[in-house]
Amino acid sequence: MSLFKKLMDVFSGENTESGGGLKLSAESKRLFDAYLNEAFNMNAYDMTAANSFAAKEISEADPELQKEILKESMRRHNEAYSYSDHITLKQLEEMLLRKHLKYSEEDILTIFAIAGSAKKSSWSSPHSAWLAGIAERYSKENQLSDDVKLAFQSLVDRLIAESNDASSRKLVRALTVLLSDAGEDLVPFAVNGYEAWGAKAIADIRALPDEPLLNWKRLLEYATTCSGSTPSKRWQDGALKYLQKIDQEVFVTFIDSWFSLVGTRGTYPEKQRDRYAIDPNETLTSESADLLKGLAWISIQVDDPRLARALGDAANASFKKVVNVGPRCPKLGNACVGALSNLKSKEAIAQLGRLKSSVKHASTRNTIEKALNNAATRAGMSVQDLEELNVPDYGFTEVGKLVQNFEAHRAEIVIDDSSVSLHWFDATDKEHKSIPARVKSEHPDEVKALKKTLGDVEKQLSAIRYRIENSLIQQRHWAYKDLKERYLEHPIAATIARRLIWRVNGKSAIYLDGEMVDVQSCRVETPDNAIVELWHPIASEAEEVLAWRMFLRGHEITQPFKQAHREIYVLTPAEIETDTYSNRFAAHVLKQHQFNQLCQQRGWKYRLQGAWDSYNTPYLELPQWDLIAEFFVEPVTDEASATGTFTHCVSDQLRFRRSNGEPVSLVEIMPVVLTEVMRDLDLFVGVCSIGNDPTWIDAGDAHHGYWHAFSFGDLSASAETRKDVLKEILPALKIKARCRIEGKFLIVQGDIRTYKIHLGSGNILMEPNDQYLCIVPERGGKSGGTSKIYLPFEGDGVLSVILSKAMMLANDSKITDPTIVRQINFRT
């Protein structure tokens, strides 16, 4: 066994023969005891090394005695439980550590064994800088033996697992450098090799020749000095001096690579943590955040589209929530947003638009919206115009398709409806199931760039879809010339816009085969100055709506969101009677976390309610109409998570008010505004209700009556739409002979039993006794065999679940899942 391991056994108490102590000479013991007695008599809080007679005597003693006393003090410090003992020993140790004593290998092993066996993980923080100095000075004068390396690594592992303060991180960094055989610290301390981006940065920088390496080190060190929410002009001018010494292409490549890894898990050793502990592999240290923040601001001086994408990726990763933390790193996320607002490229504006639609946190969305407003003001246009004019094409040369050649192979990124996929072909046009080996080995950077483009296009499509759908409630108008340029002929946006119905000078039309046509497929005149808006069914007669539905089905056009099949909500007599409020969506039990996420996705402002007196009301701002919609919810206070957040809430009234607080009668609300707000509430209830949880029946008696009423009750407007769609598509299904619609159920005749699938919740009852059948849908968006079925619109997950369950149950004799089989064969 190595000496270090023996020492660890001694100081950790594993070796009981030694008693866990050190052998002190008589003189060392006399001096140390004198110091402790003086501290006891004087009061440790008043005593310092300067006014202690015993400390002065120790300071003048032989260095060998001083080292013995230092090690014994550190050993006792491990066992110190009172703060006065901590102060007494800390002052003595720091006095001795400042002396830069010359340590032997045994001294080093003993000191690091004591540090590594500390019973309190926080005690070593005051000594981290001193221990780093001891290790560095010893390493300069001695070659590190395997035992010393083991001592350094053991302390590194302990500190990583148990401590996250700045001084401990610096000690970890110093020891890691010594263990890496780097000879000297070639990169700043803030570049943390345990973080994915930091490991890549260290590898990239160390691979550089001497002069570029030194220039990069200086740039990174300068980046760490960026303070405040926005850097000063003086700071930016200083950064430019360092940046000018860096190759611009290398800078773009490095930043693109590093920032793309901000959200990737780190490599700190895994350990068992309690449910309140923070996982360091999911976060960034404050030093890393400061450095990356500085690099984000430096990036605005190199206006390259690749940097805009990197900043967007880093911002998105920074705003993602981490367990027990919240957003991963708001400091870095805000810096990336600020940098994007200062870039001039189309890609920068596109990234801000993407973040606006994807980021959920209210204050963060406000920051992004402010950045977009600032950029729009500088450009002298509205935010909507700014976003639409700055959608990048990502190299697509035709609508929905990008082609890139690799000698004997070619790659194609194809947008099919709203899905994006990458395909590989050889010279004979034969498609490969995966990346050809030759392309993968000879063109790794180009392949990586293609995959990144694939992800970027998916995110951009989501932002475009959100922006266009939001125009329904905004009643946004375009000149046809602008619509054609920004949407209908844009290689990315056109894949969304061409599947939607527009109103051109008051006449409804859709883009088909290169021109606008009406519901009878007749060409519609489209002068450049024609006024265009997104068609809404509420402004059309039922016959026209049905005709458009038939048109979409006949041409197998799947709309990116419900438009021709969009639910319509008009005031009921009861709502006219109540005047200022509606109870249409009241008294539903909702999963609060899911409800909060959906609120943010749909543009509503809401904060989770919990035991910290956080009661608030979800609201939607409609400034163009001087309206604020409020959807009142009450938390279920006897059901809370471990963090004190209430797990459920109960819905109540919908109300409208002016910005000054004045209530507004429902009859005064524009029909399109009322129906769109009502549709959001229907979506909240339809998605977040506990009635959608097929396992709730086993959750006890809480809300069981509500669960059953929702699961098998009357259909909502969205469920009625689902029913209409099923009536249209059932005749085309292979299982059509086994299916029929009766009231609120899809009836499926299996080989063993008959099943009733509720068209609202997707839950199932089995005949003849209405026995409940629990089938939990697969996660991850799997279609369950429904991917080849034509659906007139995207986004209805319940419809897909119903179809998937129907196809399974129609062939119930072939089901192999034992949980489902057991339920089907069980008779009550």
Side-chain angles (χ1 to χ4, degrees):
M1 180 184 287
S2 71
L3 175 57
F4 174 71
K5 288 186 176 179
K6 290 179 181 177
L7 289 167
M8 284 294 292
D9 286 348
V10 169
F11 297 120
S12 63
E14 297 289 332
N15 188 333
T16 55
E17 295 180 5
S18 68
L22 286 164
K23 293 182 180 179
L24 295 179
S25 65
E27 181 63 8
S28 296
K29 188 175 186 309
R30 182 190 71 77
L31 291 170
F32 188 55
D33 288 344
Y35 176 80
L36 295 179
N37 289 332
E38 188 176 7
F40 178 80
N41 293 324
M42 183 184 293
N43 185 333
Y45 297 100
D46 297 327
M47 178 177 166
T48 65
N51 65 14
S52 166
F53 293 106
K56 184 177 180 181
E57 190 176 1
I58 292 173
S59 179
E60 296 172 352
D62 181 88
E64 291 301 317
L65 295 178
Q66 291 176 344
K67 288 192 290 183
E68 286 186 25
I69 294 169
L70 171 64
K71 289 181 278 189
E72 178 63 11
S73 179
M74 291 176 66
R75 185 192 70 79
R76 293 203 189 185
H77 207 155
N78 285 355
E79 301 171 355
Y81 290 97
S82 71
Y83 190 67
S84 61
D85 289 347
H86 166 71
I87 292 296
T88 298
L89 297 170
K90 174 177 176 288
Q91 292 190 72
L92 176 61
E93 292 155 20
E94 288 188 347
M95 179 193 77
L96 294 172
L97 286 165
R98 286 192 187 97
K99 290 183 170 294
H100 290 188
L101 301 170
K102 190 175 182 65
Y103 298 100
S104 66
E105 178 171 321
E106 184 174 348
D107 292 330
I108 292 292
L109 295 176
T110 304
I111 288 171
F112 277 81
I114 294 171
S117 60
K119 293 182 177 65
K120 295 183 179 180
S121 61
S122 62
W123 82 267
S124 60
S125 297
H127 309 96
S128 293
W130 302 110
L131 291 175
I134 289 173
E136 287 169 351
R137 287 191 297 276
Y138 178 82
S139 300
K140 287 180 180 178
E141 299 174 1
N142 303 274
Q143 184 173 357
L144 300 186
S145 67
D146 290 342
D147 228 12
V148 172
K149 289 180 180 179
L150 178 61
F152 289 176
Q153 188 62 57
S154 296
L155 186 56
V156 165
D157 293 342
R158 179 186 176 103
L159 291 175
I160 288 172
E162 298 185 1
S163 182
N164 196 37
D165 59 273
S167 58
S168 294
R169 292 198 300 269
K170 288 180 180 178
L171 176 54
V172 167
R173 170 67 174 151
L175 295 178
T176 302
V177 169
L178 295 175
L179 289 166
S180 69
D181 295 325
E184 60 176 321
D185 193 357
L186 299 177
V187 291
F189 159 71
V191 184
N192 188 326
Y194 286 99
E195 295 170 358
W197 81 269
K200 184 69 168 66
I202 291 171
D204 287 340
I205 294 169
R206 286 181 175 166
L208 293 170
D210 290 344
E211 185 176 350
L213 186 152
L214 182 60
N215 290 334
W216 265 99
K217 181 179 179 182
R218 289 169 177 165
L219 178 70
L220 295 175
E221 288 172 342
Y222 185 81
T224 63
T225 66
C226 183
S227 60
S229 58
T230 305
S232 65
K233 183 178 184 304
R234 181 179 179 182
W235 188 89
Q236 287 284 27
D237 290 342
L240 184 59
K241 294 177 182 177
Y242 293 102
L243 185 61
Q244 288 172 340
K245 297 179 180 180
I246 302 290
D247 181 275
Q248 180 170 313
E249 181 61 27
V250 174
F251 179 83
V252 172
T253 301
F254 280 7
I255 301 303
D256 184 22
S257 175
W258 302 348
F259 275 46
S260 67
L261 296 172
V262 166
T264 303
R265 277 186 65 82
T267 57
Y268 288 103
E270 297 290 344
K271 60 166 286 188
Q272 189 70 31
R273 300 179 180 86
D274 63 48
R275 60 183 178 181
Y276 301 110
I278 296 172
D279 183 355
N281 285 313
E282 292 291 347
T283 58
L284 299 176
T285 64
S286 59
E287 294 84 5
S288 291
D290 287 337
L291 171 56
L292 291 168
K293 171 186 169 183
L295 289 175
W297 282 110
I298 292 172
S299 296
I300 69 175
Q301 304 195 53
V302 183
D303 204 351
D304 188 292
R306 288 170 293 174
L307 289 181
R309 296 186 201 179
L311 289 167
D313 287 343
N316 194 53
S318 298
F319 292 134
K320 290 287 187 185
K321 286 191 175 181
V322 173
V323 177
N324 297 323
V325 175
R328 177 179 280 110
C329 188
K331 179 194 295 185
L332 174 58
N334 289 331
C336 291
V337 169
L340 284 168
S341 68
N342 281 275
L343 289 171
K344 306 295 189 298
S345 66
K346 282 188 174 184
E347 183 65 46
I349 303 301
Q351 289 298 324
L352 286 172
R354 160 203 161 190
L355 290 169
K356 185 177 73 171
S357 64
S358 65
V359 170
K360 305 297 186 280
H361 196 263
S363 63
T364 301
R365 287 173 67 94
N366 290 338
T367 300
I368 295 167
E369 287 171 2
K370 183 178 178 181
L372 279 169
N373 285 328
N374 291 339
T377 300
R378 288 197 306 271
M381 62 180 68
S382 69
V383 170
Q384 292 96 330
D385 286 330
L386 182 75
E387 291 182 280
E388 291 169 355
L389 285 167
N390 287 280
V391 176
D393 60 25
Y394 297 102
F396 279 61
T397 55
E398 58 182 291
V399 172
K401 189 174 184 180
L402 180 150
V403 178
Q404 185 168 336
N405 292 309
F406 293 87
E407 295 151 6
H409 296 86
R410 78 174 188 277
E412 292 184 2
I413 294 181
V414 178
I415 302 174
D416 184 10
D417 290 339
S418 292
S419 65
V420 190
S421 54
L422 176 59
H423 305 268
W424 293 93
F425 300 90
D426 60 21
T428 65
D429 280 343
K430 179 182 178 182
E431 184 171 358
H432 292 245
K433 292 183 178 180
S434 59
I435 305 172
R438 183 175 177 181
V439 175
K440 191 174 184 178
S441 62
E442 296 181 2
H443 304 277
D445 292 338
E446 290 92 335
V447 170
K448 181 181 177 182
L450 267 178
K451 290 181 178 179
K452 183 168 178 55
T453 297
L454 184 78
D456 290 341
V457 170
E458 287 178 334
K459 296 163 188 170
Q460 195 58 241
L461 284 172
S462 178
I464 293 168
R465 183 168 55 247
Y466 172 82
R467 185 162 59 245
I468 295 179
E469 186 176 15
N470 201 38
S471 73
L472 284 170
I473 198 169
Q474 293 174 343
Q475 292 288 277
R476 181 160 163 70
H477 296 77
W478 296 263
Y480 184 76
K481 177 178 179 293
D482 292 335
L483 183 76
K484 184 168 64 172
E485 175 189 348
R486 302 176 190 182
Y487 287 106
L488 297 176
E489 294 183 354
H490 188 282
I492 307 295
T495 62
I496 300 290
R498 291 184 180 184
R499 293 184 286 140
L500 294 169
I501 306 166
W502 302 87
R503 192 177 291 278
V504 183
N505 281 344
K507 186 174 181 63
S508 58
I510 195 168
Y511 192 92
L512 188 68
D513 297 330
E515 60 182 2
M516 281 287 192
V517 299
D518 62 17
V519 73
Q520 283 84 34
S521 298
C522 298
R523 184 174 181 274
V524 173
E525 293 296 325
T526 53
D528 285 349
N529 62 352
I531 301 301
V532 187
E533 62 181 323
L534 195 60
W535 177 84
H536 197 296
I538 199 169
S540 301
E541 297 295 331
E543 291 78 7
E544 183 184 14
V545 175
L546 291 174
W548 274 117
R549 292 183 180 182
M550 293 298 293
F551 181 96
L552 296 173
R553 177 159 184 77
H555 291 83
E556 292 200 347
I557 296 173
T558 299
Q559 296 199 289
F561 51 81
K562 287 183 184 179
Q563 189 188 22
H565 292 78
R566 204 170 189 82
E567 301 82 10
I568 300 298
Y569 304 82
V570 296
L571 288 177
T572 64
E575 289 166 336
I576 295 173
E577 180 69 25
T578 56
D579 188 31
T580 58
Y581 67 89
S582 166
N583 281 323
R584 192 183 306 197
F585 297 102
H588 289 278
V589 183
L590 312 178
K591 295 182 178 180
Q592 194 194 190
H593 286 83
Q594 191 176 19
F595 173 61
N596 177 53
Q597 292 175 353
L598 196 53
C599 276
Q600 293 167 349
Q601 181 182 323
R602 299 297 300 173
W604 290 68
K605 306 290 179 66
Y606 180 62
R607 299 184 310 277
L608 286 170
Q609 302 184 61
W612 51 84
D613 190 25
S614 60
Y615 299 95
N616 66 97
T617 299
Y619 65 94
L620 176 67
E621 295 176 316
L622 301 165
Q624 64 272 43
W625 312 118
D626 187 29
L627 286 174
I628 297 174
E630 296 179 308
F631 183 36
F632 290 79
V633 295
E634 290 292 330
V636 181
T637 57
D638 58 349
E639 300 172 8
S641 66
T643 60
T645 305
F646 300 130
T647 53
H648 299 98
C649 60
V650 179
S651 63
D652 203 340
Q653 298 174 353
L654 166 68
R655 291 178 178 266
F656 289 87
R657 62 179 172 85
R658 302 293 180 192
S659 56
N660 63 6
E662 177 188 350
V664 181
S665 172
L666 296 178
V667 296
E668 296 179 34
I669 309 298
M670 285 181 60
V672 70
V673 173
L674 179 69
T675 191
E676 285 301 301
V677 171
M678 288 279 194
R679 185 176 184 274
D680 275 356
L681 269 56
D682 197 348
L683 182 67
F684 295 156
V685 170
V687 172
C688 306
S689 171
I690 62 170
N692 285 322
D693 184 350
T695 64
W696 191 270
I697 197 169
D698 299 321
D701 295 330
H703 313 299
H704 191 271
Y706 165 77
W707 178 86
H708 195 277
F710 182 91
S711 294
F712 304 107
D714 294 338
L715 300 183
S716 64
S718 59
E720 288 287 357
T721 299
R722 196 173 296 131
K723 179 178 178 179
D724 291 341
V725 172
L726 280 169
K727 286 180 180 178
E728 293 176 14
I729 65 177
L730 276 180
L733 300 182
K734 291 181 179 179
I735 58 171
K736 61 182 178 181
R738 290 177 173 261
C739 298
R740 67 184 187 277
I741 293 176
E742 289 185 4
K744 53 195 176 186
F745 294 98
L746 171 63
I747 310 298
V748 181
Q749 179 64 57
D751 296 324
I752 303 173
R753 301 186 73 160
T754 300
Y755 308 90
K756 298 160 60 177
I757 307 176
H758 190 260
L759 299 175
S761 65
N763 289 330
I764 308 166
L765 296 176
M766 296 184 288
E767 293 185 349
N769 55 353
D770 279 352
Q771 178 186 334
Y772 178 65
L773 173 60
C774 178
I775 298 179
V776 181
E778 290 187 51
R779 296 193 176 193
K782 294 183 179 179
S783 62
T786 66
S787 59
K788 295 183 179 180
I789 299 175
Y790 164 74
L791 297 177
F793 51 77
E794 300 170 353
D796 189 343
V798 177
L799 178 58
S800 297
V801 167
I802 289 173
L803 286 170
S804 178
K805 289 180 176 180
M807 296 179 74
M808 176 194 297
L809 296 172
N811 296 285
D812 56 0
S813 60
K814 297 180 180 179
I815 296 174
T816 57
D817 186 302
T819 304
I820 300 175
V821 171
R822 190 181 308 115
Q823 293 179 81
I824 291 174
N825 292 326
F826 178 77
R827 305 279 176 163
T828 57

